[in-house]
């Protein structure tokens, strides 16, 4: 198939593009290569993709409505995977306009492209951040998510509502995936594992928020990609979202080609255990800078993935120890033992 992957130079977009190309799909990768984090890392990911047949890259901003409309007119896409967004909970407190531009306006332009060009499936990235102040664990897609703790979370919830509207009005099959703390090789420098590794190797203290009392559903990127591909190949439709009989669980969206799933490891790990595992892999102790809970953060995340498992057989298999070992091996190969 011919698939548009937005955010192709990003962490998850890069790994997904590699997987789709390996199975023979054509991938048009779109990214604006913004400077939220190291552009050289994004270009290095792209260099890996551009060596493969079937990949075409476009440096374009989703906010440019005319350019996105022209892209959909020029290319006949079968499916769209929309991963591009302005990420980061804390950065949303500093630069809120970037989140409205990229995450709201940009997503609208993608929805309009899908609407006018008969896209068979739009799969888009949501986030575990939408659970906000929800204190019931594990987080279920059937929980209410109307207490976002950051603008980033609010924009991701808005994406889910926008997709619902387009599925309702225009019959576009849409699936949102609420990602839970993805990590692994080629990861983002602003994420905990990357940041901790760099600072430990540089003999610098690592910031540990909430005095280390977090637990996170850390999910290895290969497991995430396996789940994304399985969901991509199973677009929702009105028939499958209609309850088959009164004795079985009902779909939360009966009669619509619309679906939401959590995609996570389903095994939350205390942050201090995560740090200790990294110390063991690096063979080096961390200097801890214990700090209070940051505005916008939630204490714990824990994904209920039962609905995703039932729908596509998704079950993560990578242990935290194995995932950290693979990340560190990549990091040392890419940056060297100095870590920079």
């Amino acid at each position: 198939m011919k698939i548009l992957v937005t955010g192709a130079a990003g962490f998850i977009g890069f790994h997904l593009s590699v997987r789709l190309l390996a199975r023979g799909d054509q991938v048009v990768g779109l990214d604006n290569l913004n400077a939220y984090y190291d552009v050289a890392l994004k270009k290095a990911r792209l260099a890996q993709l551009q060596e493969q047949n079937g990949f075409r890259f476009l440096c374009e901003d989703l906010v440019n409505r005319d350019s996105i409309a022209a892209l959909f007119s020029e290319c006949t896409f079968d499916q769209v995977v929309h991963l591009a967004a302005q990420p980061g909970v804390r950065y949303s407190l500093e630069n809120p306009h970037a989140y409205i531009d990229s995450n709201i306006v940009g997503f609208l332009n993608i929805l309009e492209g899908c609407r006018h060009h008969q896209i068979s499936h739009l799969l888009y990235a949501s986030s575990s951040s939408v659970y906000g102040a929800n204190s019931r664990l594990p987080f279920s897609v059937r929980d209410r998510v109307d207490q976002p703790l950051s603008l980033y979370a609010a924009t991701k919830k808005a994406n889910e509502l926008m997709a619902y509207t387009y599925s309702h009005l225009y019959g576009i099959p849409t699936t949102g995936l609420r990602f839970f703390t993805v990590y692994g090789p080629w990861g983002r420098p602003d994420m905990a594992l990357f940041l901790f590794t760099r600072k430990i190797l540089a003999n610098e203290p690592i910031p540990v928020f909430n005095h280390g009392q977090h637990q996170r559903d850390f999910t290895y990127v290969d497991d995430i990609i396996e789940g994304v591909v399985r969901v991509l190949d199973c677009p929702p439709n009105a028939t499958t979202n209609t309850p088959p009989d009164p004795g079985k669980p009902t779909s939360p969206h009966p009669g619509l080609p619309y679906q939401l799933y959590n995609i996570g490891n389903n095994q939350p790990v205390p942050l201090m255990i995560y740090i200790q595992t990294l110390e063991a892999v690096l063979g080096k102790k961390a200097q801890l800078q214990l700090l209070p809970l940051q505005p916008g953060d939630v204490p714990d995340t824990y994904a209920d993935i039962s609905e995703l498992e039932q729908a596509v057989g998704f079950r993560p298999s990578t242990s935290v120890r194995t995932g950290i070992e693979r990340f560190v091996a990549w990091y040392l190969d890419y940056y060297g033992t100095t870590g920079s």
Side-chain angles (χ1 to χ4, degrees):
M1 292 187 290
K2 191 171 187 178
I3 301 172
L4 171 64
V5 177
T6 72
F11 173 36
I12 299 175
F14 161 72
H15 281 281
L16 176 63
S17 297
V18 169
R19 174 69 179 273
L20 295 175
L21 291 166
R23 74 175 193 176
D25 292 322
Q26 298 178 59
V27 174
V28 175
L30 184 146
D31 204 293
N32 68 355
L33 298 177
N34 70 27
Y36 171 68
Y37 65 82
D38 185 15
V39 175
L41 179 60
K42 298 179 181 182
K43 290 183 177 179
R45 295 181 188 130
L46 277 178
Q48 299 280 318
L49 294 174
Q50 289 170 324
E51 292 177 354
Q52 302 187 47
N53 292 328
F55 181 77
R56 175 189 173 195
F57 175 65
L58 296 173
C59 186
E60 186 58 73
D61 198 315
L62 289 171
V63 176
N64 191 326
R65 177 169 43 170
D66 292 339
S67 294
I68 299 305
L71 172 63
F72 275 89
S73 295
E74 172 193 343
C75 301
T76 306
F77 298 119
D78 297 296
Q79 297 177 325
V80 174
V81 183
H82 178 58
L83 302 173
Q86 178 58 60
V89 168
R90 294 175 192 134
Y91 186 62
S92 70
L93 305 179
E94 304 168 18
N95 192 359
H97 294 285
Y99 291 78
I100 300 303
D101 291 342
S102 180
N103 300 6
I104 302 298
V105 177
F107 189 51
L108 176 61
N109 291 338
I110 290 295
L111 286 169
E112 280 291 286
C114 294
R115 169 193 173 188
H116 292 292
H117 295 279
Q118 292 75 53
I119 301 301
S120 66
H121 192 190
L122 166 62
L123 188 153
Y124 62 94
S126 186
S127 168
S128 62
S129 296
V130 301
Y131 289 104
N134 186 353
S135 60
R136 185 171 68 176
L137 297 175
F139 295 156
S140 168
V141 291
R142 294 173 184 264
D143 293 341
R144 292 183 61 180
V145 287
D146 52 7
Q147 295 176 295
L149 299 183
S150 68
L151 184 62
Y152 169 71
T155 63
K156 286 299 183 178
K157 174 58 180 175
N159 287 171
E160 296 176 0
L161 296 173
M162 294 163 72
Y164 184 95
T165 301
Y166 272 66
S167 292
H168 169 72
L169 291 175
Y170 309 114
I172 301 170
T174 67
T175 304
L177 292 178
R178 292 174 175 171
F179 291 110
F180 280 71
T181 318
V182 188
Y183 73 99
W186 296 98
R188 277 175 29 206
D190 62 320
M191 297 294 284
L193 181 59
F194 201 119
L195 178 67
F196 290 170
T197 300
R198 179 176 63 79
K199 286 185 174 292
I200 292 172
L201 291 173
N203 297 309
E204 298 175 0
I206 63 173
V208 181
F209 295 106
N210 201 31
H211 303 283
Q213 300 305 305
H214 283 308
Q215 65 172 356
R216 290 286 182 266
D217 206 329
F218 295 104
T219 314
Y220 188 65
V221 67
D222 286 359
D223 292 332
I224 287 287
I225 297 306
E226 177 63 29
V228 170
V229 171
R230 291 188 184 203
V231 172
L232 184 64
D233 291 342
C234 296
N237 60 66
T239 301
T240 57
N241 271 354
T242 300
D245 61 59
K248 295 183 179 180
T250 60
S251 164
H253 313 291
L256 285 182
Y258 173 89
Q259 192 57 268
L260 278 174
Y261 296 113
N262 287 332
I263 183 165
N265 199 44
N266 192 226
Q267 294 182 4
V269 176
L271 181 59
M272 296 308 296
I273 299 297
Y274 196 68
I275 292 171
Q276 291 166 12
T277 304
L278 176 59
E279 290 175 325
V281 172
L282 289 173
K284 192 171 184 178
K285 294 293 289 184
Q287 304 172 47
L288 305 183
Q289 182 184 13
L290 299 178
L291 299 168
L293 184 69
Q294 290 288 284
D297 277 0
V298 297
D300 306 306
T301 64
Y302 180 1
D304 177 352
I305 60 170
S306 56
E307 298 201 16
L308 183 59
E309 184 175 16
Q310 181 179 3
V312 298
F314 171 78
R315 195 74 198 170
S317 60
T318 308
S319 70
V320 165
R321 174 73 186 221
T322 298
I324 289 178
E325 287 175 344
R326 291 174 183 173
F327 170 80
V328 168
W330 167 81
Y331 187 95
L332 294 177
D333 179 67
Y334 186 82
Y335 288 105
T337 56
T338 61
S340 61

